[in-house]
Amino acid sequence: MRGRWKAVAAVVLGGMLAVSGCGGNDEGGGDASQVEVFSWWTGPGEADGLQAMKADFERKNPGTKFVNAAIAGGSGTQAQAVLASRLQNRKPPDSFQGHAGAELLDYIKAGQIEPLDSFYDDNNLRAAYPQQLLQQITYQGKIYSVPVNIHRSNVLWYNPRILKDAGLSGPPKTVAEFIAALKAVKDKTGKVPLSLGAQWTADHLLENVLLGDLGTDAYNALWKPGADWSTPAVTRALTDFAEILKYTTVEAASTDWQGAAKAVVDGKAAFNIMGDWAYGYFVNPAPNGLGKKLDTDFKYAPAPGTDGTYMWLSDSFTLPRGAPHRAGAIAWLKEASSKEGQDLFNPKKGSIPARKDADRSLYKGYLEYAFNEWTRPDIKLAGSFWHGVAANKKWHTDIDTAVGLFLQSKDVGKLQAALVNAAKNSGQ
Ligand code: GAL
């Protein structure tokens, strides 16, 4: 576990991590009449996980009204803008979802969230989480959030029937094989080779192609201060990215990740690269989930070229400074940090718990595989840049802008130049 996390901790917080320190003023008092919880889990799949934890919270806190302030838009594309303005205007929700890693560090540095050290002590949490995950949410010796899960971003979902029709014996193992497979699907089946949704799903694809082409160490190195994005290896990866995009649907650009993922299980598209929240959506029962069957309706594999690496991210909940219902927020953080809460949330969400003591028998199908991968002694870790681990918010936005322009221009040289600049100007 230790070696696995080390590289990522270095990439994300660099020298800013410090030894653990004393607690903040995170307990005691405040209004418990309600709790406004902010996330972007409104859509099928994601909302189920939140609902499961909310129901448990309401059972345990009958006097506290749960106000669901979720704002639609996969990966928080809309929610994060609304959140930023609420925080700026000092109108914070009582708790909001922030990704562990560089994204959380932005909120900490802006003084927008409170340290939770005494909350951790009071609830015996320091031993409940992997040490190295705690490092991702620690700044200058203080712990700032409560992780609820670990998601994997580098998953290739595919339709086995379409692969068979295309004459493919299995999922592609390298980026080059992936491109050949996309061509085979196009030439032989008439189906969509790779489904894509809203623009952010192209950013998500980009992180997967970078990881698949560059390898884990070179990918992780991209997020270190002074990293060189102008290398021929990056040019090759971006050229592959451009090639892969030729096999996606233009009209899918208006749908979110659910539309793109659904195309695979509905037999309309051969492949989709998406985080494992797609699994919850696929298998959860209707009407929220699609009630589909693993192995029959869909299968999974590591994204091409990324076997042996867990590109991870972690959803975590915070205590904003000036939370109007502070005691309600603390009660919510208790729920989100509890073994029971995490074991209710994660099987529905398509993630594995952040805590170390989960009931593994609850995690079936893909999630059993995810657990095994996560605990493999030789697994390597890479931090997802799109989902907050590797890049701060400025960098994340600048890359998104570059990708948006690229989707129009298809000019690899311009994309690389913009990415070089984004790295230089990130301030990370
Ligand atoms: C990620 C988030 C996941 C999931 C996904 C799609 O950023 O961490 O929990 O919600 O976006 O919306």
Side-chain angles (χ1 to χ4, degrees):
M1 182 80 87
R2 174 162 264 198
R4 201 149 39 90
W5 276 99
K6 222 160 58 189
V8 184
V11 169
V12 174
L13 298 182
M16 286 178 274
L17 294 173
V19 289
S20 85
C22 54
N25 57 339
D26 46 298
E27 280 280 23
D31 185 348
S33 62
Q34 68 174 59
V35 60
E36 187 194 16
V37 175
F38 189 96
S39 74
W40 51 87
W41 299 331
T42 61
E46 349 201 58
D48 279 357
L50 183 60
Q51 176 56 36
M53 205 157 49
K54 168 184 176 263
D56 192 47
F57 173 82
E58 285 171 336
R59 256 195 312 276
K60 290 175 180 158
N61 301 276
T64 305
K65 185 174 168 216
F66 183 97
V67 179
N68 186 352
I71 290 183
S75 85
T77 41
Q78 317 301 325
Q80 298 223 15
V82 174
L83 178 64
S85 91
R86 284 188 63 173
L87 293 176
Q88 216 154 36
N89 296 324
R90 306 207 189 289
K91 297 225 163 3
D94 296 309
S95 184
F96 65 85
Q97 200 274 99
H99 291 120
E103 179 186 307
L104 195 78
L105 200 61
D106 281 336
Y107 297 119
I108 300 171
K109 285 178 169 170
Q112 291 166 330
I113 54 178
E114 292 196 24
L116 292 166
D117 292 87
S118 39
F119 175 81
Y120 267 71
D121 291 336
D122 293 351
N123 295 285
N124 291 322
L125 291 179
R126 287 181 199 272
Y129 287 101
Q131 264 313 306
Q132 292 80 359
L133 176 57
L134 292 183
Q135 286 183 354
Q136 304 297 310
I137 54 171
T138 297
Y139 179 63
Q140 294 185 340
K142 294 188 173 149
I143 301 182
Y144 280 87
S145 73
V146 165
V148 68
N149 67 1
I150 303 287
H151 266 306
R152 187 176 192 176
S153 99
N154 60 320
V155 190
L156 177 72
W157 307 98
Y158 64 94
N159 183 304
R161 287 191 208 97
I162 301 182
L163 263 63
K164 195 158 172 264
D165 292 348
L168 300 165
S169 57
K173 294 199 166 55
T174 62
V175 174
E177 279 183 31
F178 187 35
I179 292 171
L182 294 171
K183 184 166 187 324
V185 172
K186 180 172 181 237
D187 292 348
K188 298 192 185 139
T189 71
K191 304 278 180 169
V192 174
L194 176 68
S195 56
L196 207 63
Q199 180 176 308
W200 75 265
T201 65
D203 295 285
H204 186 104
L205 177 65
L206 175 63
E207 73 178 21
N208 275 274
V209 177
L210 286 170
L211 180 66
D213 262 339
L214 298 175
T216 313
D217 295 343
Y219 170 87
N220 283 335
L222 288 177
W223 311 101
K224 289 188 177 142
D228 186 4
W229 283 70
S230 69
T231 61
V234 173
T235 312
R236 263 196 311 279
L238 299 180
T239 306
D240 282 343
F241 178 57
E243 186 61 23
I244 290 167
L245 284 172
K246 290 184 187 156
Y247 295 98
T248 61
T249 36
V250 177
E251 62 271 32
S254 61
T255 69
D256 212 318
W257 66 267
Q258 284 97 341
K262 187 169 184 294
V264 170
V265 295
D266 283 352
K268 293 185 177 145
F271 297 105
N272 179 235
I273 289 184
M274 190 37 60
D276 47 13
W277 42 91
Y279 184 68
Y281 175 44
F282 290 159
V283 302
N284 289 348
N288 297 332
L290 296 174
K292 295 287 180 178
K293 291 265 168 302
L294 174 62
D295 290 335
T296 315
D297 299 314
F298 71 96
K299 290 181 104 163
Y300 61 84
T306 73
D307 194 9
T309 298
Y310 215 101
M311 183 134 66
W312 71 280
L313 59 125
S314 172
D315 296 318
S316 73
F317 282 97
T318 57
L319 178 62
R321 279 193 198 282
H325 309 95
R326 200 165 187 288
I330 294 285
W332 171 248
L333 294 177
K334 268 188 192 147
E335 174 68 28
S337 64
S338 70
K339 173 170 151 38
E340 207 175 340
Q342 294 196 7
D343 276 341
L344 286 166
F345 174 78
N346 287 298
K348 295 275 180 207
K349 185 68 167 61
S351 41
I352 55 174
R355 287 181 67 111
K356 295 187 288 185
D357 55 357
D359 177 355
R360 281 181 78 149
S361 70
L362 298 170
Y363 298 83
K364 305 254 166 44
Y366 163 81
L367 290 175
E368 189 180 349
Y369 159 83
F371 241 125
N372 290 338
E373 286 280 286
W374 180 246
T375 47
R376 245 171 79 173
D378 62 339
I379 195 82
K380 289 184 164 188
L381 292 185
S384 161
F385 94 77
W386 184 253
H387 304 282
V389 182
N392 64 18
K393 282 186 271 174
K394 173 166 177 17
W395 202 348
H396 174 271
T397 304
D398 286 355
I399 295 177
D400 185 41
T401 304
V403 167
L405 292 171
F406 174 72
L407 292 175
Q408 303 304 317
S409 75
K410 309 284 189 311
D411 185 327
V412 170
K414 277 193 186 149
L415 173 61
Q416 187 162 11
L419 295 178
V420 167
N421 278 333
K424 274 193 193 132
N425 301 329
S426 72
Q428 187 166 300

